[in-house]
Amino acid sequence: MISVFGSANMDLVAYTATAPRRGETVTGRAFGTVPGGKGANQAVAAARAGAEVAFVGAVGDDAFGPVMRETLESAGVDVSRLRVVPGSSGIAHIVVDDEGGNSIIVIPGANGTVTGVSQDDLSVIARSDALLLQLELPMEAVVAAARQAEVPVILTPAPARELPSELLGAVALIVPNEHEAEAITGLADPGEALEALLDLVPEAVITLGGRGALYGSRSGERLRVPAVPVKAVDTTAAGDTFVGALAVARAEGRPQAEALRFAATAAALSVRREGASTSMPTRAEIDAALR
């Protein structure tokens, strides 16, 4: 089982040929509301990739909360630890251009009320093979979950921010994109950033978008996995799909290179469709693409 302690947002997505610059107004071609949030995205990705998944987090008592709960449930995610709090659910305002690129503003809403981890939360986490964490919840809650988890912790350090030593000390694997890796290490070269990350945690993967991913471990293993070539429509959930699928492959005991190929294939399939949770591939789709 995979457990996820993280955010659930409603994504308000505007599609346009070119994203507006500061002070500029552009005309979009479409708009949609899509359940997302890095935590919920990773939970859905892992469930669709074939794992039993439990999600720990919060939604508001607004109209978006039940929609996000239903999205998780319909993907097969256990939402018994998804609480409802007064006020707004988390919101993400997303602009997607015709090259598939995106820019995102996140308003925490209910996610900001998750300031710790309960014993009931920990009892769910303890039954899992890995705990997935991101940084869209308050940092004190992320640190508490990482330190009290008795299972390997996989951290997506996004949105990028300073990482406390007590968090890094509890992380087994960190999975930043190249921009987040540079923010953490101060090194623009992904290869150099990878080595710097391994001074902080035992294993690291840096995702490079269309250039694939780099993996390293303190044991000395180094791998580069090429991206699967596809035409990108919307890259919004590619990173979360990669992490969710990677957690599943590792939990199944796959060799590292095979696990990374599984994750890269899932991420590539996700960018061919619009939306976040709506774009994530099923296990059957991933297996078919790998064949």
Side-chain angles (χ1 to χ4, degrees):
M1 185 176 86
I2 305 298
S3 57
V4 182
F5 182 66
S7 59
N9 295 327
M10 182 59 76
D11 294 347
L12 310 181
V13 190
Y15 295 93
T16 182
T18 304
R21 296 168 295 181
R22 183 175 183 179
E24 181 182 19
T25 299
V26 300
T27 299
R29 60 176 173 79
F31 173 79
T33 56
V34 183
K38 297 195 73 63
N41 285 346
Q42 292 182 7
V44 171
R48 289 190 178 163
E52 180 183 352
V53 181
F55 181 76
V56 182
V59 294
D61 60 1
D62 57 1
F64 291 144
V67 177
M68 290 188 282
R69 179 181 294 273
E70 170 59 27
T71 298
L72 289 162
E73 287 183 320
S74 65
V77 176
D78 176 0
V79 293
S80 59
R81 298 306 306 156
L82 177 63
R83 46 254 205 200
V84 179
V85 300
S88 172
S89 296
I91 298 294
H93 179 275
I94 303 174
V95 176
V96 180
D97 63 35
D98 281 354
E99 293 182 358
N102 63 76
S103 58
I104 305 173
I105 301 172
V106 175
I107 299 96
N111 299 307
T113 71
V114 183
T115 56
V117 57
S118 72
Q119 286 302 314
D120 288 338
D121 297 337
L122 290 171
S123 68
V124 171
I125 293 168
R127 298 196 299 270
S128 62
D129 297 294
L131 170 63
L132 304 188
L133 297 174
Q134 319 78 34
L135 301 180
E136 289 184 341
L137 296 182
M139 183 62 79
E140 61 264 35
V142 177
V143 171
R147 294 187 66 184
Q148 295 180 67
E150 298 179 352
V151 299
V153 173
I154 300 175
L155 173 67
T156 303
R161 65 176 79 176
E162 184 176 352
L163 301 178
S165 58
E166 58 265 41
L167 173 59
L168 290 168
V171 170
L173 168 66
I174 193 168
V175 191
N177 63 29
E178 57 187 312
H179 307 295
E180 293 152 0
E182 181 178 359
I184 295 167
T185 66
L187 299 169
D189 179 82
E192 294 177 0
L194 180 70
E195 301 305 319
L197 288 172
L198 293 174
D199 290 333
L200 304 174
V201 296
E203 294 180 90
V205 175
I206 299 178
T207 59
L208 305 171
R211 306 195 315 282
L214 296 177
Y215 167 83
S217 72
R218 286 180 179 169
S219 67
E221 187 174 12
R222 300 291 184 273
L223 295 168
R224 183 169 193 129
V225 178
V228 177
V230 294
K231 177 174 174 53
V233 173
D234 184 354
T235 62
T236 301
D240 293 329
T241 303
F242 183 97
V243 173
L246 180 62
V248 172
R250 286 167 62 97
E252 292 175 352
R254 298 185 182 222
Q256 193 59 53
E258 183 180 332
L260 288 164
R261 285 195 297 272
F262 184 88
T265 300
L269 292 173
S270 77
V271 305
R272 300 186 309 171
R273 296 189 284 247
E274 293 182 345
S277 59
T278 53
S279 72
M280 294 169 176
T282 64
R283 178 59 173 261
E285 290 175 316
I286 299 169
D287 287 344
L290 284 168
R291 287 194 298 269

mmCIF file of all heavy atoms in Angstrom, residues 194-195 198 201-204 215-223 256:
data_model
loop_
_atom_site.group_PDB
_atom_site.id
_atom_site.type_symbol
_atom_site.label_atom_id
_atom_site.label_comp_id
_atom_site.label_asym_id
_atom_site.label_seq_id
_atom_site.Cartn_x
_atom_site.Cartn_y
_atom_site.Cartn_z
ATOM 1 N N LEU A 194 22.454 16.585 -8.535
ATOM 2 C CA LEU A 194 22.176 15.235 -8.047
ATOM 3 C C LEU A 194 23.184 14.836 -6.970
ATOM 4 O O LEU A 194 22.809 14.302 -5.915
ATOM 5 C CB LEU A 194 22.219 14.242 -9.206
ATOM 6 C CG LEU A 194 21.937 12.779 -8.849
ATOM 7 C CD1 LEU A 194 20.472 12.594 -8.468
ATOM 8 C CD2 LEU A 194 22.298 11.856 -10.016
ATOM 9 N N GLU A 195 24.465 15.098 -7.237
ATOM 10 C CA GLU A 195 25.487 14.739 -6.254
ATOM 11 C C GLU A 195 25.307 15.515 -4.957
ATOM 12 O O GLU A 195 25.491 14.967 -3.858
ATOM 13 C CB GLU A 195 26.883 14.996 -6.834
ATOM 14 C CG GLU A 195 27.192 14.213 -8.110
ATOM 15 C CD GLU A 195 27.009 12.708 -7.925
ATOM 16 O OE1 GLU A 195 27.395 12.171 -6.866
ATOM 17 O OE2 GLU A 195 26.466 12.071 -8.857
ATOM 18 N N LEU A 198 22.556 14.047 -2.834
ATOM 19 C CA LEU A 198 22.937 12.813 -2.155
ATOM 20 C C LEU A 198 23.752 13.070 -0.897
ATOM 21 O O LEU A 198 23.977 12.150 -0.104
ATOM 22 C CB LEU A 198 23.692 11.893 -3.121
ATOM 23 C CG LEU A 198 22.836 11.354 -4.277
ATOM 24 C CD1 LEU A 198 23.676 10.577 -5.267
ATOM 25 C CD2 LEU A 198 21.698 10.480 -3.738
ATOM 26 N N VAL A 201 20.243 13.283 1.305
ATOM 27 C CA VAL A 201 19.326 12.142 1.421
ATOM 28 C C VAL A 201 19.958 10.924 0.754
ATOM 29 O O VAL A 201 20.849 11.059 -0.089
ATOM 30 C CB VAL A 201 17.962 12.451 0.763
ATOM 31 C CG1 VAL A 201 17.257 13.593 1.478
ATOM 32 C CG2 VAL A 201 18.128 12.764 -0.714
ATOM 33 N N PRO A 202 19.495 9.706 1.098
ATOM 34 C CA PRO A 202 20.118 8.496 0.539
ATOM 35 C C PRO A 202 19.921 8.289 -0.960
ATOM 36 O O PRO A 202 20.786 7.733 -1.638
ATOM 37 C CB PRO A 202 19.443 7.364 1.327
ATOM 38 C CG PRO A 202 18.968 7.996 2.581
ATOM 39 C CD PRO A 202 18.562 9.385 2.188
ATOM 40 N N GLU A 203 18.764 8.706 -1.499
ATOM 41 C CA GLU A 203 18.473 8.517 -2.920
ATOM 42 C C GLU A 203 17.815 9.771 -3.472
ATOM 43 O O GLU A 203 17.094 10.471 -2.756
ATOM 44 C CB GLU A 203 17.530 7.339 -3.150
ATOM 45 C CG GLU A 203 18.074 5.978 -2.799
ATOM 46 C CD GLU A 203 17.036 4.898 -3.075
ATOM 47 O OE1 GLU A 203 17.011 4.371 -4.201
ATOM 48 O OE2 GLU A 203 16.238 4.613 -2.156
ATOM 49 N N ALA A 204 18.060 10.030 -4.767
ATOM 50 C CA ALA A 204 17.466 11.205 -5.410
ATOM 51 C C ALA A 204 17.164 10.901 -6.866
ATOM 52 O O ALA A 204 17.914 10.185 -7.538
ATOM 53 C CB ALA A 204 18.396 12.406 -5.313
ATOM 54 N N TYR A 215 18.927 9.509 -11.810
ATOM 55 C CA TYR A 215 18.811 8.833 -10.509
ATOM 56 C C TYR A 215 20.192 8.623 -9.916
ATOM 57 O O TYR A 215 21.150 8.318 -10.621
ATOM 58 C CB TYR A 215 18.123 7.478 -10.664
ATOM 59 C CG TYR A 215 18.249 6.612 -9.424
ATOM 60 C CD1 TYR A 215 17.373 6.778 -8.348
ATOM 61 C CD2 TYR A 215 19.258 5.658 -9.309
ATOM 62 C CE1 TYR A 215 17.493 6.011 -7.201
ATOM 63 C CE2 TYR A 215 19.383 4.872 -8.167
ATOM 64 C CZ TYR A 215 18.503 5.054 -7.113
ATOM 65 O OH TYR A 215 18.636 4.294 -5.973
ATOM 66 N N GLY A 216 20.270 8.778 -8.599
ATOM 67 C CA GLY A 216 21.510 8.460 -7.910
ATOM 68 C C GLY A 216 21.228 7.967 -6.510
ATOM 69 O O GLY A 216 20.196 8.278 -5.911
ATOM 70 N N SER A 217 22.137 7.172 -5.971
ATOM 71 C CA SER A 217 22.037 6.699 -4.594
ATOM 72 C C SER A 217 23.413 6.782 -3.945
ATOM 73 O O SER A 217 24.443 6.821 -4.622
ATOM 74 C CB SER A 217 21.524 5.257 -4.546
ATOM 75 O OG SER A 217 22.513 4.362 -5.000
ATOM 76 N N ARG A 218 23.427 6.785 -2.628
ATOM 77 C CA ARG A 218 24.688 6.837 -1.896
ATOM 78 C C ARG A 218 25.504 5.568 -2.066
ATOM 79 O O ARG A 218 26.708 5.567 -1.791
ATOM 80 C CB ARG A 218 24.413 7.093 -0.411
ATOM 81 C CG ARG A 218 23.995 8.527 -0.119
ATOM 82 C CD ARG A 218 23.729 8.723 1.350
ATOM 83 N NE ARG A 218 23.346 10.103 1.649
ATOM 84 C CZ ARG A 218 22.863 10.513 2.810
ATOM 85 N NH1 ARG A 218 22.686 9.629 3.800
ATOM 86 N NH2 ARG A 218 22.546 11.779 3.004
ATOM 87 N N SER A 219 24.849 4.502 -2.534
ATOM 88 C CA SER A 219 25.584 3.260 -2.788
ATOM 89 C C SER A 219 26.454 3.357 -4.030
ATOM 90 O O SER A 219 27.266 2.463 -4.298
ATOM 91 C CB SER A 219 24.608 2.097 -2.942
ATOM 92 O OG SER A 219 23.826 2.248 -4.115
ATOM 93 N N GLY A 220 26.269 4.442 -4.812
ATOM 94 C CA GLY A 220 27.085 4.653 -6.002
ATOM 95 C C GLY A 220 26.358 4.442 -7.306
ATOM 96 O O GLY A 220 26.903 4.725 -8.378
ATOM 97 N N GLU A 221 25.118 3.960 -7.267
ATOM 98 C CA GLU A 221 24.373 3.720 -8.511
ATOM 99 C C GLU A 221 23.971 5.050 -9.143
ATOM 100 O O GLU A 221 23.497 5.965 -8.471
ATOM 101 C CB GLU A 221 23.122 2.892 -8.226
ATOM 102 C CG GLU A 221 22.380 2.455 -9.488
ATOM 103 C CD GLU A 221 21.219 1.516 -9.194
ATOM 104 O OE1 GLU A 221 20.853 1.376 -8.007
ATOM 105 O OE2 GLU A 221 20.693 0.940 -10.151
ATOM 106 N N ARG A 222 24.169 5.158 -10.471
ATOM 107 C CA ARG A 222 23.770 6.326 -11.233
ATOM 108 C C ARG A 222 23.062 5.844 -12.501
ATOM 109 O O ARG A 222 23.563 4.967 -13.210
ATOM 110 C CB ARG A 222 24.978 7.190 -11.636
ATOM 111 C CG ARG A 222 25.804 7.731 -10.472
ATOM 112 C CD ARG A 222 25.042 8.774 -9.685
ATOM 113 N NE ARG A 222 25.859 9.351 -8.627
ATOM 114 C CZ ARG A 222 25.972 8.834 -7.397
ATOM 115 N NH1 ARG A 222 25.319 7.731 -7.085
ATOM 116 N NH2 ARG A 222 26.734 9.424 -6.496
ATOM 117 N N LEU A 223 21.901 6.425 -12.782
ATOM 118 C CA LEU A 223 21.113 6.039 -13.945
ATOM 119 C C LEU A 223 20.574 7.280 -14.629
ATOM 120 O O LEU A 223 20.244 8.271 -13.968
ATOM 121 C CB LEU A 223 19.939 5.148 -13.542
ATOM 122 C CG LEU A 223 20.252 3.777 -12.942
ATOM 123 C CD1 LEU A 223 18.992 3.176 -12.349
ATOM 124 C CD2 LEU A 223 20.848 2.860 -13.993
ATOM 125 N N GLN A 256 15.722 -0.763 -9.968
ATOM 126 C CA GLN A 256 15.614 0.679 -10.068
ATOM 127 C C GLN A 256 15.425 1.167 -11.503
ATOM 128 O O GLN A 256 14.587 2.033 -11.770
ATOM 129 C CB GLN A 256 16.843 1.346 -9.456
ATOM 130 C CG GLN A 256 16.688 2.832 -9.223
ATOM 131 C CD GLN A 256 15.525 3.157 -8.305
ATOM 132 O OE1 GLN A 256 15.420 2.631 -7.216
ATOM 133 N NE2 GLN A 256 14.630 4.035 -8.746
#
